[in-house]
Amino acid sequence: QVQLVESGGGLVQPGGSLRLSCAASGSGFTINAMGWYRQAPGKQRELVARITSGGSTDYADSGKGRFTISRDNAKNTVFLQMNSLKPEDTAVYYCYADTRWGARYWGQGTQVTVSS
């Protein structure tokens, strides 16, 4: 079993920045890809960014040029640096981790609110 704990959400003004973190813990697992999804009220969950164990990244168009995903493999931790935040970035952000045997685990979600 893998547990994911997120941190770093909060309230920020438009144009501001936030850094989300997500740490995986447990035993006997190897993580391949990690990433972030978000879900705004009344909308479907959507991919924000993902990163492989080798460091290859992929971003949704909405975050390109503003968001940066990174990871610390030694600590099984993934980060999402979000700059130039917009009100439409307001959502609950969920991290995930894919294990080597094909299971996907999710974090509990962290609220990001962009408002003046």
Side-chain angles (χ1 to χ4, degrees), residues 19 36 49 57 59 63 65-70 79-83:
R19 187 178 190 236
W36 296 89
T57 59
Y59 296 92
R66 300 187 299 126
F67 296 175
T68 302
I69 190 169
S70 60
F79 306 96
L80 184 67
Q81 177 68 41
M82 303 187 292
N83 299 326

Side-chain angles (χ1 to χ4, degrees), residues 18-19 38 41 51 69 76 88 93 97 107:
L18 283 175
R19 187 178 190 236
R38 69 184 183 186
I51 184 168
I69 190 169
N76 287 319
E88 50 264 44
Y93 284 70

Side-chain angles (χ1 to χ4, degrees), residues 6-100:
E6 301 154 348
S7 60
L11 173 65
V12 64
Q13 292 186 342
S17 298
L18 283 175
R19 187 178 190 236
L20 306 183
S21 300
C22 174
S25 63
S27 63
F29 65 91
T30 299
I31 292 178
N32 289 338
M34 301 184 78
W36 296 89
Y37 276 73
R38 69 184 183 186
Q39 187 167 20
K43 295 187 177 181
Q44 290 188 330
R45 190 176 294 194
E46 62 177 2
L47 176 69
V48 177
R50 56 191 171 197
I51 184 168
T52 68
S53 58
S56 296
T57 59
D58 188 23
Y59 296 92
D61 288 343
S62 58
K64 286 181 179 177
R66 300 187 299 126
F67 296 175
T68 302
I69 190 169
S70 60
R71 65 189 285 174
D72 182 336
N73 288 334
K75 297 182 178 180
N76 287 319
T77 300
V78 64
F79 306 96
L80 184 67
Q81 177 68 41
M82 303 187 292
N83 299 326
S84 302
L85 283 162
K86 305 174 182 180
E88 50 264 44
D89 294 317
T90 295
V92 178
Y93 284 70
Y94 299 91
C95 72
Y96 74 89
D98 292 335
T99 62
R100 186 172 60 182

